[in-house]
Short mmCIF file of all heavy atoms in Angstrom, two decimals:
data_model
loop_
_atom_site.label_atom_id
_atom_site.label_comp_id
_atom_site.label_asym_id
_atom_site.label_seq_id
_atom_site.Cartn_x
_atom_site.Cartn_y
_atom_site.Cartn_z
N ILE A 951 0.84 -1.21 0.00
CA ILE A 951 0.00 0.00 0.00
C ILE A 951 0.86 1.25 0.00
O ILE A 951 0.62 2.19 -0.76
CB ILE A 951 -0.96 -0.01 1.21
CG1 ILE A 951 -2.03 -1.10 1.01
CG2 ILE A 951 -1.61 1.36 1.41
CD1 ILE A 951 -2.93 -1.31 2.20
N GLU A 952 1.90 1.26 0.83
CA GLU A 952 2.76 2.45 0.92
C GLU A 952 3.54 2.67 -0.37
O GLU A 952 3.70 3.82 -0.81
CB GLU A 952 3.69 2.31 2.12
CG GLU A 952 2.96 2.41 3.46
CD GLU A 952 3.87 2.27 4.66
OE1 GLU A 952 5.01 1.76 4.50
OE2 GLU A 952 3.45 2.66 5.77
N VAL A 953 4.02 1.60 -0.99
CA VAL A 953 4.76 1.72 -2.25
C VAL A 953 3.86 2.25 -3.36
O VAL A 953 4.23 3.16 -4.12
CB VAL A 953 5.38 0.37 -2.64
CG1 VAL A 953 5.82 0.37 -4.10
CG2 VAL A 953 6.57 0.03 -1.75
N VAL A 954 2.66 1.69 -3.47
CA VAL A 954 1.74 2.12 -4.52
C VAL A 954 1.31 3.56 -4.29
O VAL A 954 1.27 4.37 -5.24
CB VAL A 954 0.51 1.19 -4.58
CG1 VAL A 954 -0.52 1.72 -5.57
CG2 VAL A 954 0.93 -0.22 -4.97
N ASP A 955 1.01 3.92 -3.05
CA ASP A 955 0.63 5.30 -2.76
C ASP A 955 1.76 6.27 -3.09
O ASP A 955 1.53 7.34 -3.67
CB ASP A 955 0.25 5.44 -1.28
CG ASP A 955 -1.25 5.53 -1.08
OD1 ASP A 955 -1.99 5.75 -2.07
OD2 ASP A 955 -1.71 5.40 0.08
N ALA A 956 2.98 5.91 -2.72
CA ALA A 956 4.11 6.80 -2.97
C ALA A 956 4.36 6.99 -4.46
O ALA A 956 4.64 8.09 -4.93
CB ALA A 956 5.37 6.24 -2.30
N ASP A 957 4.23 5.92 -5.21
CA ASP A 957 4.50 5.98 -6.64
C ASP A 957 3.42 6.72 -7.42
O ASP A 957 3.68 7.27 -8.49
CB ASP A 957 4.66 4.57 -7.21
CG ASP A 957 5.27 4.57 -8.60
OD1 ASP A 957 4.52 4.81 -9.57
OD2 ASP A 957 6.49 4.37 -8.73
N THR A 958 2.20 6.74 -6.89
CA THR A 958 1.08 7.35 -7.61
C THR A 958 0.61 8.64 -6.94
O THR A 958 -0.45 9.16 -7.29
CB THR A 958 -0.10 6.37 -7.70
OG1 THR A 958 -0.53 6.01 -6.37
CG2 THR A 958 0.30 5.12 -8.46
N ASP A 959 1.39 9.15 -5.98
CA ASP A 959 1.03 10.38 -5.27
C ASP A 959 -0.35 10.30 -4.63
O ASP A 959 -1.11 11.27 -4.62
CB ASP A 959 1.10 11.59 -6.22
CG ASP A 959 2.50 11.83 -6.76
OD1 ASP A 959 3.46 11.64 -5.99
OD2 ASP A 959 2.63 12.17 -7.95
N GLY A 960 -0.69 9.12 -4.12
CA GLY A 960 -1.97 8.95 -3.43
C GLY A 960 -3.17 9.07 -4.34
O GLY A 960 -4.27 9.40 -3.88
N ALA A 961 -3.00 8.78 -5.63
CA ALA A 961 -4.09 8.96 -6.59
C ALA A 961 -5.21 7.94 -6.43
O ALA A 961 -6.32 8.15 -6.91
CB ALA A 961 -3.53 8.90 -8.01
N ILE A 962 -4.92 6.82 -5.79
CA ILE A 962 -5.93 5.77 -5.64
C ILE A 962 -6.98 6.20 -4.63
O ILE A 962 -6.66 6.72 -3.55
CB ILE A 962 -5.25 4.46 -5.21
CG1 ILE A 962 -4.36 3.94 -6.35
CG2 ILE A 962 -6.25 3.40 -4.79
CD1 ILE A 962 -3.38 2.90 -5.95
N ALA A 963 -8.25 5.98 -4.97
CA ALA A 963 -9.35 6.40 -4.09
C ALA A 963 -9.28 5.68 -2.75
O ALA A 963 -9.40 6.30 -1.69
CB ALA A 963 -10.69 6.14 -4.77
N TYR A 964 -9.09 4.38 -2.80
CA TYR A 964 -8.91 3.59 -1.57
C TYR A 964 -8.45 2.19 -1.96
O TYR A 964 -8.49 1.80 -3.13
CB TYR A 964 -10.18 3.52 -0.72
CG TYR A 964 -11.42 2.99 -1.41
CD1 TYR A 964 -11.74 1.64 -1.41
CD2 TYR A 964 -12.30 3.86 -2.04
CE1 TYR A 964 -12.88 1.16 -2.02
CE2 TYR A 964 -13.46 3.40 -2.65
CZ TYR A 964 -13.74 2.04 -2.64
OH TYR A 964 -14.88 1.58 -3.26
N PHE A 965 -8.00 1.45 -0.96
CA PHE A 965 -7.55 0.08 -1.15
C PHE A 965 -8.56 -0.89 -0.54
O PHE A 965 -9.33 -0.53 0.36
CB PHE A 965 -6.19 -0.14 -0.49
CG PHE A 965 -5.04 0.56 -1.17
CD1 PHE A 965 -4.73 1.88 -0.86
CD2 PHE A 965 -4.26 -0.10 -2.12
CE1 PHE A 965 -3.68 2.53 -1.48
CE2 PHE A 965 -3.20 0.54 -2.74
CZ PHE A 965 -2.91 1.86 -2.42
N MET A 966 -8.51 -2.11 -1.01
CA MET A 966 -9.31 -3.18 -0.43
C MET A 966 -8.44 -4.42 -0.25
O MET A 966 -7.38 -4.55 -0.86
CB MET A 966 -10.51 -3.53 -1.32
CG MET A 966 -11.51 -2.40 -1.55
SD MET A 966 -13.13 -3.00 -2.16
CE MET A 966 -12.65 -3.80 -3.69
N ILE A 967 -8.93 -5.33 0.58
CA ILE A 967 -8.34 -6.66 0.74
C ILE A 967 -9.37 -7.66 0.25
O ILE A 967 -10.55 -7.56 0.59
CB ILE A 967 -7.99 -6.96 2.21
CG1 ILE A 967 -7.09 -5.88 2.80
CG2 ILE A 967 -7.34 -8.33 2.34
CD1 ILE A 967 -6.92 -6.00 4.32
N ASN A 968 -8.93 -8.62 -0.56
CA ASN A 968 -9.90 -9.61 -1.02
C ASN A 968 -9.24 -10.98 -1.21
O ASN A 968 -8.02 -11.13 -1.10
CB ASN A 968 -10.58 -9.17 -2.32
CG ASN A 968 -9.66 -9.19 -3.52
OD1 ASN A 968 -8.81 -8.32 -3.66
ND2 ASN A 968 -9.81 -10.19 -4.37
N CYS A 969 -10.09 -11.97 -1.45
CA CYS A 969 -9.64 -13.32 -1.81
C CYS A 969 -8.83 -14.00 -0.71
O CYS A 969 -7.90 -14.74 -0.99
CB CYS A 969 -8.86 -13.29 -3.12
SG CYS A 969 -9.13 -14.77 -4.14
N ALA A 970 -9.18 -13.74 0.55
CA ALA A 970 -8.58 -14.43 1.69
C ALA A 970 -9.57 -14.35 2.84
O ALA A 970 -10.45 -13.48 2.87
CB ALA A 970 -7.26 -13.78 2.09
N HIS A 971 -9.47 -15.26 3.77
CA HIS A 971 -10.35 -15.25 4.94
C HIS A 971 -9.79 -14.29 5.98
O HIS A 971 -8.56 -14.14 6.08
CB HIS A 971 -10.44 -16.67 5.53
CG HIS A 971 -11.54 -16.83 6.53
ND1 HIS A 971 -11.37 -16.58 7.87
CD2 HIS A 971 -12.85 -17.19 6.36
CE1 HIS A 971 -12.52 -16.80 8.50
NE2 HIS A 971 -13.44 -17.17 7.61
N PRO A 972 -10.64 -13.62 6.76
CA PRO A 972 -10.13 -12.67 7.76
C PRO A 972 -9.10 -13.26 8.72
O PRO A 972 -8.21 -12.55 9.19
CB PRO A 972 -11.40 -12.24 8.51
CG PRO A 972 -12.48 -12.34 7.48
CD PRO A 972 -12.12 -13.55 6.66
N THR A 973 -9.20 -14.56 9.02
CA THR A 973 -8.22 -15.17 9.91
C THR A 973 -6.82 -15.18 9.31
O THR A 973 -5.83 -15.36 10.02
CB THR A 973 -8.62 -16.61 10.27
OG1 THR A 973 -8.82 -17.36 9.05
CG2 THR A 973 -9.92 -16.63 11.07
N HIS A 974 -6.73 -15.00 7.99
CA HIS A 974 -5.43 -14.98 7.32
C HIS A 974 -4.71 -13.65 7.45
O HIS A 974 -3.48 -13.61 7.40
CB HIS A 974 -5.59 -15.30 5.83
CG HIS A 974 -6.18 -16.64 5.55
ND1 HIS A 974 -6.74 -16.99 4.33
CD2 HIS A 974 -6.31 -17.74 6.35
CE1 HIS A 974 -7.19 -18.22 4.39
NE2 HIS A 974 -6.94 -18.70 5.60
N PHE A 975 -5.48 -12.56 7.58
CA PHE A 975 -4.84 -11.25 7.53
C PHE A 975 -5.14 -10.34 8.71
O PHE A 975 -4.55 -9.26 8.81
CB PHE A 975 -5.20 -10.52 6.23
CG PHE A 975 -6.68 -10.29 6.01
CD1 PHE A 975 -7.34 -9.24 6.62
CD2 PHE A 975 -7.40 -11.13 5.17
CE1 PHE A 975 -8.70 -9.02 6.41
CE2 PHE A 975 -8.76 -10.91 4.94
CZ PHE A 975 -9.41 -9.86 5.57
#
């Protein structure tokens, strides 16, 4: 998240987590 935000100057509206169970992350 930090690398993508830094490279794109925070242009992304928001991030999500998907394709894993909550116990994994």
Side-chain angles (χ1 to χ4, degrees):
I951 290 173
E952 290 180 342
V953 164
V954 174
D955 256 346
D957 194 280
T958 60
D959 298 322
I962 293 164
Y964 56 90
F965 290 86
M966 298 198 300
I967 305 170
N968 70 285
C969 215
H971 193 271
T973 55
H974 299 162
F975 59 81

